[in-house]
Amino acid sequence: MIRKHITSATLALAAIGAVSVVQADVTRGELMATTCFACHGTDGHSAGSMPSIYGYPPEIMINQMKAFRDGRRPATVMDRHATGYTDEEIELIAEYLSRQ
Amino acid sequence: MQQRFSRRNFLRALGAGGAATALAACGTMPGARRRGPNVVVVGGGPGGATTAKYLKRFNPGIQVTLVEPKATYHTCFGSNWVLGGLAEMDDIAQTYGALKDRHDVNIVQDTVTAIDPDARQVRLAGGDTLSYDKLVVSPGIDFRFDAVEGYSEAVSRDIPHAWKAGEQTRILRDQLRAMDDGGVFVLVAPGNPFRCPPGPYERASMVAHYFKQHKPRSKVIILDNKENFSKQGLFMAGWERLYGDMIEWVPSSQGGQVEQVDPETRTVYSDGGLTRFRADVLNFVPSQQAGAIAREAGLADDTGWCPVDQLTFRSDKHEDIFVIGDACIAGAMPKSGHSANTQGKAVAAAIVRAMNDQDMLPLSTVNTCYSLIGPDYGITVAAVYRFEDGGIAGVPGSGGVSPSEASDAFRRQEARYAQGWYDSITADTWG
């Protein structure tokens, strides 16, 4: 997904004669993950008592979000958030957060 | 090369007529360095500040200017905690140093007095004019001071609304501190829609907490222009648990609909003058509308709020102007700092994507409102939103309020997270 974006951007630039690029793009995974940042801090680095959520391997984050969603993991508010996302959306968010 | 790439794409996205237009747009930027497209953001509250930060994050090649009159912005969220004695004014103060130094946002301390959509310029009270390629308007709310007889902006210095934080918060806090034990605090709550739906009820809670500590014979009365309110069951159960009968809520049908204020005697009247309430401390929160600059620029409709394309937050009125936060009509989303923060990210993405000649992504926004009933008693309402059938709607099956039956430990944990939420959202917005 990410690789595909970079490749297509590079091709587009080559077509207009550019020689270097900083990819200026925002993906669906990033936009959705940024909504987590209000509570969990920018890039998932909490500024206070909320748990930080950066750097987890995607499979752990996916597992935890599904556990919140299914009620297998007790929560104060995350059960009410996790029910708002499909499997695909959880995977996109987890993939993005794992790289922060 | 990257900068030229950005500008070229941006102009293509604008549908601009070619190089002549591009040069003209550059030429009107006063004192601006020629480096990429130029976005001006009006208002440095949670909506505007988040937009500025995330525009730079998503595309560092964009030149971002944030116009905000105040050097220090006091958040409305958290201001009730000051009234309750749980926080000081400094704890809810935010500044713009990190946006400027860490995120390369051009901070202009001034007030936008006019928007010229045709020339794509804003005029500032200080006399300068700023040109923009895209404009994001996030002015928050203004009050309808003339909606109730006897109240006005001048009167608000004695009878505060305290619904924009800062000096107004101080006035109300000081009046509460000066009040004798056994006094009556009357809070007049506005009709829908208004900023921070749970706010009046958290405020009543925090004032009751302060009274319980320092003035236990005192009373809190909420006069409401509504028949029900946000998290009502949770608030009322918490009030009874923590404060007994100290807090009384009066719905509009039972005399809560205030029609007149007498500032001299701190008396409010309802039911055509048949019902009256005299306060020792009176907190009048007027009904609301979009911030003045949005209305004066023709961005509002006859509701007083600004209609937008709820996928991109593009104004229905002007092609290159976006409106977010309390001022816009955002479907099912409440007017809250959290909503403004998440809308700021969405509008930043919409603008950056448009500059790349890409369609907007599927919208995903969130709201979480933490309220403190007591220092160790927190409750929440949460929702996840999507763009569906032309508007922003909650995802079915998600969201909702804290459980009505919960342990003390659960309420304590949500209270602890309320502070954690404040710390993270302010860092995410201004840090």
Side-chain angles (χ1 to χ4, degrees):
Chain A
M1 179 89 185
I2 301 302
R3 189 181 303 276
K4 194 174 133 200
H5 268 291
I6 291 170
T7 305
S8 58
T10 308
L11 287 173
L13 278 168
I16 61 167
V19 292
S20 68
V21 64
V22 175
Q23 176 68 3
D25 196 5
V26 51
T27 62
R28 190 172 171 209
E30 179 173 21
L31 181 58
M32 279 196 296
T34 63
T35 68
C36 309
F37 299 170
C39 293
H40 293 283
T42 306
D43 294 326
H45 296 250
S46 171
S49 61
M50 289 284 181
S52 286
I53 54 169
Y54 65 93
Y56 285 94
E59 55 272 21
I60 290 181
M61 185 63 70
I62 291 166
N63 188 15
Q64 293 303 308
M65 282 291 282
K66 289 182 177 175
F68 281 132
R69 192 177 64 184
D70 303 343
R72 284 179 285 120
R73 181 175 168 180
T76 54
V77 73
M78 275 311 298
D79 49 344
R80 289 175 268 152
H81 283 296
T83 41
Y85 300 99
T86 63
D87 284 358
E88 183 205 4
E89 289 168 338
I90 286 173
E91 285 159 19
L92 287 171
I93 293 169
E95 167 62 31
Y96 185 83
L97 289 174
S98 72
R99 290 183 278 109
Q100 300 310 304
Chain B
M1 291 311 286
Q2 183 244 332
Q3 292 157 9
R4 279 179 54 195
F5 172 64
S6 296
R7 176 169 293 279
R8 184 176 305 202
N9 275 277
F10 182 50
L11 289 166
R12 198 169 68 211
L14 283 173
T21 313
L23 289 170
C26 277
T28 57
M29 262 183 258
R33 284 170 288 167
R34 291 192 179 191
R35 45 154 212 174
N38 170 30
V39 180
V40 172
V41 181
V42 182
T50 303
T51 303
K53 175 172 169 174
Y54 278 81
L55 278 167
K56 295 299 288 193
R57 175 192 175 103
F58 294 151
N59 185 349
I62 301 174
Q63 188 180 327
V64 179
T65 299
L66 177 67
V67 186
E68 162 61 41
K70 293 187 286 290
T72 301
Y73 181 93
H74 289 92
T75 59
C76 215
F77 48 93
S79 65
N80 289 329
W81 307 346
V82 174
L83 302 176
L86 276 57
E88 298 298 325
M89 290 300 294
D90 283 351
D91 296 328
I92 60 165
Q94 306 298 331
T95 54
Y96 299 92
L99 286 176
K100 177 172 178 285
D101 297 333
R102 290 179 54 197
H103 303 293
D104 193 29
V105 174
N106 179 30
I107 304 290
V108 174
Q109 192 184 337
D110 209 327
T111 302
V112 174
T113 55
I115 297 169
D116 182 342
D118 296 327
R120 296 210 301 263
Q121 290 183 330
V122 297
R123 278 201 295 282
L124 306 181
D128 286 347
T129 298
L130 300 175
S131 293
Y132 62 82
D133 297 311
K134 299 287 183 193
L135 183 71
V136 179
V137 180
S138 185
I141 55 160
D142 264 340
F143 300 106
R144 297 176 187 264
F145 281 114
D146 58 355
V148 168
E149 187 185 340
Y151 199 68
S152 65
E153 187 162 14
V155 167
S156 73
R157 287 191 281 275
D158 293 323
I159 297 174
H161 51 76
W163 220 247
K164 289 183 182 181
E167 185 55 28
Q168 281 279 309
T169 313
R170 269 189 211 100
I171 293 170
L172 181 55
R173 181 197 62 187
D174 292 349
Q175 289 185 1
L176 290 165
R177 286 184 180 176
M179 193 190 85
D180 291 336
D181 189 12
V184 176
F185 169 67
V186 174
L187 191 173
V188 180
N192 294 319
F194 65 102
R195 165 181 281 181
C196 191
Y201 317 97
E202 184 193 58
R203 175 166 296 178
S205 309
M206 288 290 93
V207 172
H209 170 72
Y210 168 74
F211 284 168
K212 188 176 174 181
Q213 311 297 309
H214 302 284
K215 292 156 190 175
R217 295 188 296 110
S218 306
K219 184 119 182 103
V220 176
I221 298 175
I222 305 164
L223 302 179
D224 213 326
N225 282 346
K226 309 182 276 303
E227 287 299 295
N228 47 58
F229 61 87
S230 172
K231 297 186 266 191
Q232 183 167 351
L234 289 168
F235 271 114
M236 291 186 127
W239 291 342
E240 189 179 353
R241 167 85 190 277
L242 297 184
Y243 307 116
D245 59 1
M246 184 184 272
I247 300 175
E248 181 186 353
W249 175 68
V250 183
S252 58
S253 61
Q254 293 171 38
Q257 179 96 33
V258 169
E259 293 149 354
Q260 193 186 341
V261 178
D262 180 354
E264 298 300 318
T265 59
R266 297 182 192 279
T267 303
V268 295
Y269 298 88
S270 59
D271 293 338
L274 293 174
T275 306
R276 73 172 75 176
F277 297 86
R278 211 199 70 75
D280 294 289
V281 174
L282 179 56
N283 176 198
F284 186 90
V285 185
S287 60
Q288 297 160 23
Q289 57 193 338
I293 186 64
R295 287 177 291 115
E296 288 160 10
L299 299 171
D301 63 17
D302 54 16
T303 66
W305 305 101
C306 302
V308 294
D309 165 23
Q310 294 181 20
L311 178 63
T312 61
F313 295 92
R314 184 190 300 276
S315 167
D316 284 0
K317 310 288 185 182
H318 292 292
E319 173 75 13
D320 299 312
I321 301 180
F322 299 75
V323 186
I324 60 161
D326 293 345
C328 80
I329 299 168
M333 296 190 78
K335 300 187 184 301
S336 72
H338 199 122
S339 289
N341 169 283
T342 190
Q343 289 166 12
K345 293 160 181 172
V347 77
I351 290 171
V352 167
R353 297 273 301 184
M355 288 172 180
N356 291 345
D357 219 2
Q358 297 164 311
D359 289 336
M360 177 55 175
L361 296 158
L363 186 76
S364 181
T365 56
V366 169
N367 180 65
T368 314
C369 287
Y370 279 89
S371 303
L372 292 181
I373 298 180
D376 296 317
Y377 197 119
I379 58 173
T380 49
V381 58
V384 181
Y385 302 94
R386 281 188 190 141
F387 181 77
E388 199 93 43
D389 298 329
I392 299 175
V395 177
S398 73
V401 300
S402 305
S404 55
E405 302 295 326
S407 65
D408 290 353
F410 189 100
R411 304 289 190 223
R412 195 178 309 117
Q413 185 69 347
E414 290 222 286
R416 182 168 162 266
Y417 282 152
Q419 182 63 54
W421 169 84
Y422 186 92
D423 294 339
S424 280
I425 196 170
T426 51
D428 186 40
T429 301
W430 290 278

